[in-house]
Amino acid sequence: MVKSMVNVTYTWEKESISANGAEQVNLLIEWGYGAIRKRKGNLILKTAGCDLQLQFIPENGVSLLKVEGVRLGFKRSEDGDRMVIHCGDVRRGNYRQAALTFSVPAHSSGRHTIGLMEWSWRKPSQEKRTLVRSDQIYINYTHHLGLLSVPPHPMVEKYIKLNETSMIVKKALRMYEKGDHERGAFILNRQADELLIRAARTDDMDYLKEAELLLAIRNKWNGTFGSNHYHSSKVLFDQSDSVVNV
């Protein structure tokens, strides 16, 4: 098993899942190389590897449903379909994240393999692709209700929730473009309200900032698309400072 070059951490949203299987299991992956180098007060991000790819080779019955954060592609092999995730170039000290969603079959209680993660890249001056790391991924199956009721990992839950923003904004924009300004504003308000609730429960300012962004977009589009009659009664920030161009 290869473990070198690229630093990777894997974090399940839930450490234990039902032994009956699950239609959706989320895994957060963070990867990068080395530490940020400083020179004369400036950050120097040196390319360590080009076109980093993560190839997922699943166990029987396991399916990779989607990836949030990077591009997704398929590669056929003699022993079946393998999922190839394109992660871009790797620069020293620059760490990135992606959330992978799996469907997993039923299993007996205990620790079982989900699949193999193989990382490869090209050195900046070379064309040959090199395997730089491989990891076997496991998850714990259980019937224990106490383990199954453990809350999701906050870091994974946060990444997935915040990553919804772009999809929500695109959906709302379609409503505004069709002239349904009230529906568009409702979509943005609903997501903002969910983020505000999470911010209050977790005391995490990132949720608040994301909610403010959505409300700023709503206010901007209400003016841009000529629908100024629909506004939330909540004013959480100075619009002149917070409105962004979208």
Side-chain angles (χ1 to χ4, degrees):
M1 180 161 298
V2 179
K3 284 195 176 183
S4 63
M5 309 294 285
V6 178
N7 300 320
V8 183
T9 58
Y10 302 94
T11 308
W12 289 107
E13 184 180 19
K14 305 257 311 191
E15 292 187 3
S16 297
I17 63 172
S18 172
N20 295 323
E23 295 182 357
Q24 183 168 311
V25 181
N26 296 312
L27 175 69
L28 182 66
I29 300 179
E30 183 177 34
W31 69 90
Y33 180 80
I36 294 176
R37 291 181 176 179
K38 294 185 178 181
R39 182 181 300 172
K40 297 182 179 178
N42 297 323
L43 299 180
I44 307 299
L45 298 180
K46 182 179 180 181
T47 299
C50 301
D51 189 24
L52 179 70
Q53 290 184 5
L54 167 59
Q55 182 172 234
F56 174 64
I57 306 171
E59 289 292 304
N60 290 335
V62 176
S63 297
L64 177 55
L65 303 178
K66 65 179 180 178
V67 178
E68 297 178 347
V70 292
R71 293 179 292 121
L72 179 63
F74 295 90
K75 179 181 179 181
R76 288 191 176 276
S77 58
E78 294 181 358
D79 54 354
D81 288 346
R82 300 185 182 190
M83 193 75 75
V84 178
I85 304 166
H86 302 275
C87 303
D89 294 345
V90 178
R91 292 178 173 82
R92 182 179 295 275
N94 184 21
Y95 280 76
R96 300 177 61 194
Q97 293 177 316
L100 280 60
T101 301
F102 301 91
S103 172
V104 296
H107 253 305
S108 58
S109 296
R111 189 168 176 254
H112 295 280
T113 305
I114 297 298
L116 180 66
M117 302 285 190
E118 291 188 343
W119 300 81
S120 64
W121 68 12
R122 295 182 294 103
K123 298 298 288 184
S125 59
Q126 300 175 2
E127 292 298 324
K128 181 182 177 181
R129 177 165 295 279
T130 303
L131 178 67
V132 293
R133 182 183 177 111
S134 66
D135 300 292
Q136 201 82 1
I137 304 301
Y138 303 88
I139 196 168
N140 186 56
Y141 287 80
T142 185
H143 290 290
H144 194 290
L145 295 180
L147 294 177
L148 295 175
S149 63
V150 173
H153 193 290
M155 183 174 64
V156 183
E157 187 178 39
K158 175 180 173 180
Y159 181 88
I160 294 172
K161 191 64 180 177
L162 295 185
N163 204 63
E164 293 177 356
T165 297
S166 60
M167 180 183 66
I168 295 295
V169 170
K170 290 178 182 177
K171 183 178 180 180
L173 179 58
R174 288 195 294 268
M175 296 297 102
Y176 275 98
E177 290 175 337
K178 291 178 180 179
D180 192 351
H181 304 157
E182 184 169 339
R183 177 63 179 172
F186 172 78
I187 292 171
L188 295 173
N189 283 340
R190 182 176 59 184
Q191 182 72 1
D193 287 343
E194 291 183 14
L195 293 170
L196 290 172
I197 292 172
R198 288 175 182 265
R201 289 176 176 173
T202 63
D203 198 27
D204 190 326
M205 295 299 293
D206 288 338
Y207 285 120
L208 178 60
K209 291 177 182 177
E210 198 79 355
E212 290 179 346
L213 172 63
L214 289 171
L215 295 176
I217 292 172
R218 179 210 62 192
N219 291 342
K220 181 71 172 180
W221 286 352
N222 281 344
T224 300
F225 291 92
S227 177
N228 296 314
H229 67 280
Y230 189 90
H231 287 280
S232 171
S233 60
K234 298 178 181 179
V235 180
L236 299 176
F237 57 94
D238 183 349
Q239 180 176 340
S240 64
D241 292 336
S242 302
V243 171
V244 294
N245 294 321
V246 177

